[in-house]
mmCIF file of all heavy atoms in Angstrom:
data_model
loop_
_atom_site.group_PDB
_atom_site.id
_atom_site.type_symbol
_atom_site.label_atom_id
_atom_site.label_comp_id
_atom_site.label_asym_id
_atom_site.label_seq_id
_atom_site.Cartn_x
_atom_site.Cartn_y
_atom_site.Cartn_z
ATOM 1 N N HIS A 1 136.741 8.831 -143.837
ATOM 2 C CA HIS A 1 137.337 7.891 -142.892
ATOM 3 C C HIS A 1 136.659 7.912 -141.520
ATOM 4 O O HIS A 1 137.129 7.241 -140.595
ATOM 5 C CB HIS A 1 138.831 8.173 -142.741
ATOM 6 C CG HIS A 1 139.583 7.973 -144.024
ATOM 7 N ND1 HIS A 1 140.707 8.691 -144.335
ATOM 8 C CD2 HIS A 1 139.354 7.151 -145.089
ATOM 9 C CE1 HIS A 1 141.149 8.314 -145.514
ATOM 10 N NE2 HIS A 1 140.342 7.388 -146.001
ATOM 11 N N LEU A 2 135.583 8.660 -141.389
ATOM 12 C CA LEU A 2 134.846 8.649 -140.121
ATOM 13 C C LEU A 2 134.136 7.304 -139.965
ATOM 14 O O LEU A 2 133.643 6.743 -140.940
ATOM 15 C CB LEU A 2 133.809 9.775 -140.098
ATOM 16 C CG LEU A 2 134.349 11.199 -140.049
ATOM 17 C CD1 LEU A 2 133.200 12.198 -140.181
ATOM 18 C CD2 LEU A 2 135.135 11.440 -138.782
ATOM 19 N N PRO A 3 134.055 6.808 -138.731
ATOM 20 C CA PRO A 3 133.331 5.548 -138.523
ATOM 21 C C PRO A 3 131.835 5.711 -138.815
ATOM 22 O O PRO A 3 131.241 6.753 -138.508
ATOM 23 C CB PRO A 3 133.546 5.240 -137.037
ATOM 24 C CG PRO A 3 134.516 6.218 -136.528
ATOM 25 C CD PRO A 3 134.642 7.324 -137.516
ATOM 26 N N GLU A 4 131.260 4.684 -139.388
ATOM 27 C CA GLU A 4 129.838 4.743 -139.734
ATOM 28 C C GLU A 4 128.941 5.023 -138.525
ATOM 29 O O GLU A 4 128.003 5.821 -138.640
ATOM 30 C CB GLU A 4 129.407 3.464 -140.443
ATOM 31 C CG GLU A 4 128.014 3.549 -141.002
ATOM 32 C CD GLU A 4 127.631 2.358 -141.852
ATOM 33 O OE1 GLU A 4 128.524 1.608 -142.290
ATOM 34 O OE2 GLU A 4 126.429 2.190 -142.083
ATOM 35 N N PRO A 5 129.203 4.419 -137.354
ATOM 36 C CA PRO A 5 128.338 4.725 -136.199
ATOM 37 C C PRO A 5 128.333 6.211 -135.817
ATOM 38 O O PRO A 5 127.321 6.734 -135.354
ATOM 39 C CB PRO A 5 128.920 3.873 -135.068
ATOM 40 C CG PRO A 5 129.596 2.747 -135.765
ATOM 41 C CD PRO A 5 130.149 3.340 -137.040
ATOM 42 N N TYR A 6 129.443 6.891 -136.037
ATOM 43 C CA TYR A 6 129.518 8.332 -135.763
ATOM 44 C C TYR A 6 128.580 9.092 -136.704
ATOM 45 O O TYR A 6 127.854 9.997 -136.290
ATOM 46 C CB TYR A 6 130.969 8.782 -135.931
ATOM 47 C CG TYR A 6 131.271 10.197 -135.506
ATOM 48 C CD1 TYR A 6 131.132 10.603 -134.183
ATOM 49 C CD2 TYR A 6 131.761 11.122 -136.422
ATOM 50 C CE1 TYR A 6 131.453 11.896 -133.794
ATOM 51 C CE2 TYR A 6 132.084 12.414 -136.038
ATOM 52 C CZ TYR A 6 131.925 12.792 -134.725
ATOM 53 O OH TYR A 6 132.241 14.071 -134.331
ATOM 54 N N LEU A 7 128.576 8.702 -137.967
ATOM 55 C CA LEU A 7 127.697 9.348 -138.946
ATOM 56 C C LEU A 7 126.233 9.013 -138.680
ATOM 57 O O LEU A 7 125.354 9.861 -138.851
ATOM 58 C CB LEU A 7 128.102 8.937 -140.360
ATOM 59 C CG LEU A 7 129.477 9.455 -140.791
ATOM 60 C CD1 LEU A 7 129.949 8.731 -142.036
ATOM 61 C CD2 LEU A 7 129.447 10.952 -141.013
ATOM 62 N N VAL A 8 125.969 7.790 -138.233
ATOM 63 C CA VAL A 8 124.601 7.398 -137.877
ATOM 64 C C VAL A 8 124.126 8.242 -136.698
ATOM 65 O O VAL A 8 122.968 8.693 -136.666
ATOM 66 C CB VAL A 8 124.529 5.885 -137.554
ATOM 67 C CG1 VAL A 8 123.195 5.511 -136.950
ATOM 68 C CG2 VAL A 8 124.805 5.069 -138.810
ATOM 69 N N TRP A 9 125.010 8.489 -135.750
ATOM 70 C CA TRP A 9 124.661 9.333 -134.602
ATOM 71 C C TRP A 9 124.292 10.739 -135.073
ATOM 72 O O TRP A 9 123.275 11.297 -134.659
ATOM 73 C CB TRP A 9 125.824 9.386 -133.605
ATOM 74 C CG TRP A 9 125.535 10.247 -132.431
ATOM 75 C CD1 TRP A 9 124.871 9.904 -131.295
ATOM 76 C CD2 TRP A 9 125.886 11.636 -132.271
ATOM 77 N NE1 TRP A 9 124.790 10.980 -130.441
ATOM 78 C CE2 TRP A 9 125.407 12.057 -131.023
ATOM 79 C CE3 TRP A 9 126.562 12.556 -133.077
ATOM 80 C CZ2 TRP A 9 125.578 13.354 -130.553
ATOM 81 C CZ3 TRP A 9 126.733 13.845 -132.611
ATOM 82 C CH2 TRP A 9 126.232 14.233 -131.351
ATOM 83 N N PHE A 10 125.118 11.311 -135.958
ATOM 84 C CA PHE A 10 124.803 12.633 -136.504
ATOM 85 C C PHE A 10 123.461 12.609 -137.223
ATOM 86 O O PHE A 10 122.671 13.539 -137.111
ATOM 87 C CB PHE A 10 125.890 13.109 -137.484
ATOM 88 C CG PHE A 10 126.922 14.003 -136.868
ATOM 89 C CD1 PHE A 10 128.235 13.588 -136.787
ATOM 90 C CD2 PHE A 10 126.599 15.256 -136.401
ATOM 91 C CE1 PHE A 10 129.201 14.408 -136.234
ATOM 92 C CE2 PHE A 10 127.549 16.089 -135.848
ATOM 93 C CZ PHE A 10 128.863 15.663 -135.758
ATOM 94 N N HIS A 11 123.213 11.558 -137.983
ATOM 95 C CA HIS A 11 121.953 11.447 -138.713
ATOM 96 C C HIS A 11 120.763 11.473 -137.755
ATOM 97 O O HIS A 11 119.750 12.127 -138.015
ATOM 98 C CB HIS A 11 121.941 10.171 -139.553
ATOM 99 C CG HIS A 11 120.723 10.003 -140.380
ATOM 100 N ND1 HIS A 11 119.648 9.243 -139.972
ATOM 101 C CD2 HIS A 11 120.382 10.507 -141.590
ATOM 102 C CE1 HIS A 11 118.708 9.283 -140.892
ATOM 103 N NE2 HIS A 11 119.127 10.037 -141.891
ATOM 104 N N SER A 12 120.899 10.789 -136.631
ATOM 105 C CA SER A 12 119.788 10.736 -135.673
ATOM 106 C C SER A 12 119.626 12.036 -134.888
ATOM 107 O O SER A 12 118.525 12.413 -134.526
ATOM 108 C CB SER A 12 119.961 9.560 -134.710
ATOM 109 O OG SER A 12 121.058 9.771 -133.851
ATOM 110 N N LYS A 13 120.725 12.729 -134.617
ATOM 111 C CA LYS A 13 120.692 13.973 -133.836
ATOM 112 C C LYS A 13 120.545 15.220 -134.701
ATOM 113 O O LYS A 13 120.147 16.271 -134.218
ATOM 114 C CB LYS A 13 121.966 14.112 -132.988
ATOM 115 C CG LYS A 13 122.158 13.004 -131.981
ATOM 116 C CD LYS A 13 121.088 13.050 -130.923
ATOM 117 C CE LYS A 13 121.325 11.952 -129.899
ATOM 118 N NZ LYS A 13 120.277 11.880 -128.912
ATOM 119 N N GLY A 14 120.924 15.085 -135.969
ATOM 120 C CA GLY A 14 120.883 16.230 -136.874
ATOM 121 C C GLY A 14 122.282 16.667 -137.264
ATOM 122 O O GLY A 14 123.137 16.854 -136.398
ATOM 123 N N PHE A 15 122.504 16.792 -138.548
ATOM 124 C CA PHE A 15 123.796 17.250 -139.044
ATOM 125 C C PHE A 15 123.928 18.744 -138.784
ATOM 126 O O PHE A 15 122.929 19.466 -138.743
ATOM 127 C CB PHE A 15 123.924 16.976 -140.546
ATOM 128 C CG PHE A 15 123.989 15.515 -140.884
ATOM 129 C CD1 PHE A 15 122.906 14.887 -141.484
ATOM 130 C CD2 PHE A 15 125.110 14.759 -140.611
ATOM 131 C CE1 PHE A 15 122.950 13.543 -141.799
ATOM 132 C CE2 PHE A 15 125.168 13.411 -140.925
ATOM 133 C CZ PHE A 15 124.084 12.796 -141.519
ATOM 134 N N PRO A 16 125.170 19.230 -138.613
ATOM 135 C CA PRO A 16 125.352 20.678 -138.447
ATOM 136 C C PRO A 16 124.832 21.419 -139.679
ATOM 137 O O PRO A 16 124.751 20.843 -140.768
ATOM 138 C CB PRO A 16 126.878 20.848 -138.339
ATOM 139 C CG PRO A 16 127.445 19.500 -138.148
ATOM 140 C CD PRO A 16 126.437 18.511 -138.623
ATOM 141 N N GLU A 17 124.508 22.661 -139.498
ATOM 142 C CA GLU A 17 124.045 23.470 -140.628
ATOM 143 C C GLU A 17 125.225 23.848 -141.510
ATOM 144 O O GLU A 17 126.372 23.835 -141.085
ATOM 145 C CB GLU A 17 123.341 24.726 -140.124
ATOM 146 C CG GLU A 17 122.026 24.411 -139.448
ATOM 147 C CD GLU A 17 121.204 25.646 -139.165
ATOM 148 O OE1 GLU A 17 121.367 26.652 -139.878
ATOM 149 O OE2 GLU A 17 120.399 25.592 -138.237
ATOM 150 N N GLY A 18 124.931 24.171 -142.741
ATOM 151 C CA GLY A 18 125.944 24.668 -143.658
ATOM 152 C C GLY A 18 126.646 23.577 -144.446
ATOM 153 O O GLY A 18 126.197 22.424 -144.520
ATOM 154 N N LYS A 19 127.769 23.966 -145.017
ATOM 155 C CA LYS A 19 128.523 23.096 -145.910
ATOM 156 C C LYS A 19 128.966 21.810 -145.222
ATOM 157 O O LYS A 19 128.839 20.721 -145.788
ATOM 158 C CB LYS A 19 129.735 23.851 -146.459
ATOM 159 C CG LYS A 19 130.541 23.073 -147.455
ATOM 160 C CD LYS A 19 131.691 23.915 -147.988
ATOM 161 C CE LYS A 19 132.557 23.126 -148.953
ATOM 162 N NZ LYS A 19 133.654 23.952 -149.469
ATOM 163 N N LEU A 20 129.475 21.905 -143.995
ATOM 164 C CA LEU A 20 129.932 20.715 -143.282
ATOM 165 C C LEU A 20 128.790 19.719 -143.094
ATOM 166 O O LEU A 20 128.955 18.516 -143.305
ATOM 167 C CB LEU A 20 130.561 21.070 -141.937
ATOM 168 C CG LEU A 20 131.027 19.881 -141.104
ATOM 169 C CD1 LEU A 20 132.132 19.103 -141.822
ATOM 170 C CD2 LEU A 20 131.491 20.334 -139.730
ATOM 171 N N GLY A 21 127.637 20.203 -142.710
ATOM 172 C CA GLY A 21 126.483 19.328 -142.538
ATOM 173 C C GLY A 21 126.088 18.635 -143.825
ATOM 174 O O GLY A 21 125.758 17.439 -143.825
ATOM 175 N N GLU A 22 126.136 19.361 -144.922
ATOM 176 C CA GLU A 22 125.824 18.770 -146.228
ATOM 177 C C GLU A 22 126.847 17.692 -146.580
ATOM 178 O O GLU A 22 126.486 16.630 -147.093
ATOM 179 C CB GLU A 22 125.808 19.854 -147.308
ATOM 180 C CG GLU A 22 124.668 20.834 -147.161
ATOM 181 C CD GLU A 22 124.774 22.015 -148.103
ATOM 182 O OE1 GLU A 22 125.678 22.022 -148.986
ATOM 183 O OE2 GLU A 22 123.972 22.947 -147.966
ATOM 184 N N GLN A 23 128.112 17.969 -146.295
ATOM 185 C CA GLN A 23 129.156 16.994 -146.592
ATOM 186 C C GLN A 23 129.017 15.749 -145.715
ATOM 187 O O GLN A 23 129.163 14.623 -146.194
ATOM 188 C CB GLN A 23 130.539 17.624 -146.420
ATOM 189 C CG GLN A 23 130.852 18.658 -147.472
ATOM 190 C CD GLN A 23 132.161 19.385 -147.226
ATOM 191 O OE1 GLN A 23 132.552 19.608 -146.078
ATOM 192 N NE2 GLN A 23 132.838 19.738 -148.295
ATOM 193 N N LEU A 24 128.730 15.944 -144.441
ATOM 194 C CA LEU A 24 128.534 14.805 -143.546
ATOM 195 C C LEU A 24 127.339 13.960 -143.990
ATOM 196 O O LEU A 24 127.398 12.727 -143.963
ATOM 197 C CB LEU A 24 128.341 15.281 -142.101
ATOM 198 C CG LEU A 24 129.591 15.761 -141.372
ATOM 199 C CD1 LEU A 24 129.213 16.494 -140.093
ATOM 200 C CD2 LEU A 24 130.528 14.596 -141.073
ATOM 201 N N ALA A 25 126.268 14.605 -144.403
ATOM 202 C CA ALA A 25 125.088 13.887 -144.888
ATOM 203 C C ALA A 25 125.422 13.081 -146.143
ATOM 204 O O ALA A 25 124.965 11.945 -146.299
ATOM 205 C CB ALA A 25 123.944 14.861 -145.161
ATOM 206 N N LEU A 26 126.225 13.653 -147.016
ATOM 207 C CA LEU A 26 126.639 12.948 -148.228
ATOM 208 C C LEU A 26 127.475 11.716 -147.869
ATOM 209 O O LEU A 26 127.226 10.613 -148.380
ATOM 210 C CB LEU A 26 127.444 13.880 -149.133
ATOM 211 C CG LEU A 26 128.104 13.219 -150.338
ATOM 212 C CD1 LEU A 26 127.061 12.615 -151.273
ATOM 213 C CD2 LEU A 26 128.994 14.200 -151.066
ATOM 214 N N ILE A 27 128.439 11.884 -146.976
ATOM 215 C CA ILE A 27 129.288 10.756 -146.587
ATOM 216 C C ILE A 27 128.465 9.694 -145.866
ATOM 217 O O ILE A 27 128.687 8.493 -146.041
ATOM 218 C CB ILE A 27 130.481 11.232 -145.736
ATOM 219 C CG1 ILE A 27 131.367 12.211 -146.541
ATOM 220 C CG2 ILE A 27 131.303 10.053 -145.232
ATOM 221 C CD1 ILE A 27 131.966 11.647 -147.814
ATOM 222 N N TYR A 28 127.478 10.103 -145.093
ATOM 223 C CA TYR A 28 126.564 9.150 -144.461
ATOM 224 C C TYR A 28 125.880 8.293 -145.525
ATOM 225 O O TYR A 28 125.816 7.069 -145.410
ATOM 226 C CB TYR A 28 125.533 9.906 -143.614
ATOM 227 C CG TYR A 28 124.370 9.056 -143.172
ATOM 228 C CD1 TYR A 28 124.504 8.168 -142.107
ATOM 229 C CD2 TYR A 28 123.145 9.113 -143.819
ATOM 230 C CE1 TYR A 28 123.438 7.369 -141.706
ATOM 231 C CE2 TYR A 28 122.079 8.332 -143.428
ATOM 232 C CZ TYR A 28 122.237 7.458 -142.367
ATOM 233 O OH TYR A 28 121.186 6.663 -141.984
ATOM 234 N N GLU A 29 125.366 8.923 -146.561
ATOM 235 C CA GLU A 29 124.688 8.194 -147.633
ATOM 236 C C GLU A 29 125.657 7.276 -148.380
ATOM 237 O O GLU A 29 125.295 6.153 -148.752
ATOM 238 C CB GLU A 29 124.024 9.166 -148.617
ATOM 239 C CG GLU A 29 122.845 9.909 -148.049
ATOM 240 C CD GLU A 29 121.666 9.007 -147.710
ATOM 241 O OE1 GLU A 29 121.482 7.956 -148.369
ATOM 242 O OE2 GLU A 29 120.923 9.362 -146.780
ATOM 243 N N VAL A 30 126.870 7.749 -148.585
ATOM 244 C CA VAL A 30 127.896 6.937 -149.244
ATOM 245 C C VAL A 30 128.124 5.651 -148.458
ATOM 246 O O VAL A 30 128.105 4.543 -149.008
ATOM 247 C CB VAL A 30 129.215 7.733 -149.390
ATOM 248 C CG1 VAL A 30 130.390 6.820 -149.696
ATOM 249 C CG2 VAL A 30 129.074 8.811 -150.462
ATOM 250 N N LYS A 31 128.337 5.788 -147.154
ATOM 251 C CA LYS A 31 128.603 4.623 -146.319
ATOM 252 C C LYS A 31 127.372 3.735 -146.186
ATOM 253 O O LYS A 31 127.483 2.508 -146.209
ATOM 254 C CB LYS A 31 129.117 5.058 -144.955
ATOM 255 C CG LYS A 31 130.527 5.644 -145.047
ATOM 256 C CD LYS A 31 131.114 5.892 -143.687
ATOM 257 C CE LYS A 31 132.522 6.388 -143.820
ATOM 258 N NZ LYS A 31 133.481 5.460 -143.252
ATOM 259 N N LEU A 32 126.214 4.338 -146.059
ATOM 260 C CA LEU A 32 124.967 3.588 -145.943
ATOM 261 C C LEU A 32 124.752 2.681 -147.155
ATOM 262 O O LEU A 32 124.255 1.569 -147.034
ATOM 263 C CB LEU A 32 123.792 4.563 -145.785
ATOM 264 C CG LEU A 32 122.416 3.951 -145.585
ATOM 265 C CD1 LEU A 32 122.333 3.269 -144.217
ATOM 266 C CD2 LEU A 32 121.354 5.035 -145.692
ATOM 267 N N ASN A 33 125.160 3.167 -148.321
ATOM 268 C CA ASN A 33 124.969 2.424 -149.561
ATOM 269 C C ASN A 33 126.191 1.613 -149.981
ATOM 270 O O ASN A 33 126.224 1.078 -151.097
ATOM 271 C CB ASN A 33 124.553 3.381 -150.687
ATOM 272 C CG ASN A 33 123.160 3.915 -150.458
ATOM 273 O OD1 ASN A 33 122.194 3.173 -150.544
ATOM 274 N ND2 ASN A 33 123.039 5.188 -150.126
ATOM 275 N N GLY A 34 127.196 1.529 -149.112
ATOM 276 C CA GLY A 34 128.363 0.700 -149.382
ATOM 277 C C GLY A 34 129.252 1.191 -150.501
ATOM 278 O O GLY A 34 129.884 0.389 -151.191
ATOM 279 N N LEU A 35 129.327 2.499 -150.686
ATOM 280 C CA LEU A 35 130.101 3.073 -151.791
ATOM 281 C C LEU A 35 131.459 3.623 -151.374
ATOM 282 O O LEU A 35 132.157 4.232 -152.179
ATOM 283 C CB LEU A 35 129.285 4.181 -152.461
ATOM 284 C CG LEU A 35 127.921 3.742 -153.001
ATOM 285 C CD1 LEU A 35 127.142 4.940 -153.493
ATOM 286 C CD2 LEU A 35 128.079 2.696 -154.081
ATOM 287 N N GLU A 36 131.833 3.394 -150.119
ATOM 288 C CA GLU A 36 133.084 3.953 -149.601
ATOM 289 C C GLU A 36 134.294 3.514 -150.425
ATOM 290 O O GLU A 36 135.152 4.323 -150.771
ATOM 291 C CB GLU A 36 133.260 3.543 -148.146
ATOM 292 C CG GLU A 36 134.479 4.110 -147.489
ATOM 293 C CD GLU A 36 134.565 3.728 -146.021
ATOM 294 O OE1 GLU A 36 133.720 2.967 -145.526
ATOM 295 O OE2 GLU A 36 135.509 4.193 -145.372
ATOM 296 N N ALA A 37 134.377 2.237 -150.761
ATOM 297 C CA ALA A 37 135.524 1.724 -151.518
ATOM 298 C C ALA A 37 135.611 2.368 -152.903
ATOM 299 O O ALA A 37 136.715 2.596 -153.417
ATOM 300 C CB ALA A 37 135.451 0.211 -151.636
ATOM 301 N N MET A 38 134.470 2.665 -153.488
ATOM 302 C CA MET A 38 134.455 3.284 -154.804
ATOM 303 C C MET A 38 135.040 4.698 -154.767
ATOM 304 O O MET A 38 135.657 5.151 -155.726
ATOM 305 C CB MET A 38 133.019 3.344 -155.334
ATOM 306 C CG MET A 38 132.913 3.870 -156.741
ATOM 307 S SD MET A 38 131.221 3.873 -157.344
ATOM 308 C CE MET A 38 130.580 5.337 -156.552
ATOM 309 N N LEU A 39 134.857 5.395 -153.631
ATOM 310 C CA LEU A 39 135.346 6.771 -153.522
ATOM 311 C C LEU A 39 136.749 6.861 -152.940
ATOM 312 O O LEU A 39 137.357 7.928 -152.979
ATOM 313 C CB LEU A 39 134.377 7.595 -152.676
ATOM 314 C CG LEU A 39 132.982 7.748 -153.261
ATOM 315 C CD1 LEU A 39 132.120 8.610 -152.350
ATOM 316 C CD2 LEU A 39 133.020 8.332 -154.659
ATOM 317 N N ALA A 40 137.266 5.777 -152.408
ATOM 318 C CA ALA A 40 138.596 5.789 -151.789
ATOM 319 C C ALA A 40 139.690 6.342 -152.717
ATOM 320 O O ALA A 40 140.573 7.065 -152.246
ATOM 321 C CB ALA A 40 138.960 4.400 -151.279
#
């Protein structure tokens, strides 16, 4: 449910290290590819 611009910002600045960063990167890719509704 994070806004896409927030995830884009993380993508440009760098995701945090560890599990959270991996999860944020995954959700970024989900939103980038328009798959959010499929995972809802």
Side-chain angles (χ1 to χ4, degrees):
H1 297 149
L2 292 174
E4 189 173 343
Y6 188 64
L7 293 166
V8 170
W9 179 84
F10 264 115
H11 183 264
S12 68
K13 299 294 182 184
F15 293 107
E17 291 190 26
K19 183 178 177 179
L20 178 63
E22 292 171 7
Q23 291 174 327
L24 285 167
L26 172 62
I27 299 300
Y28 167 78
E29 291 294 330
V30 164
K31 290 188 177 244
L32 183 69
N33 291 291
L35 302 173
E36 183 177 4
M38 185 178 79
L39 297 181

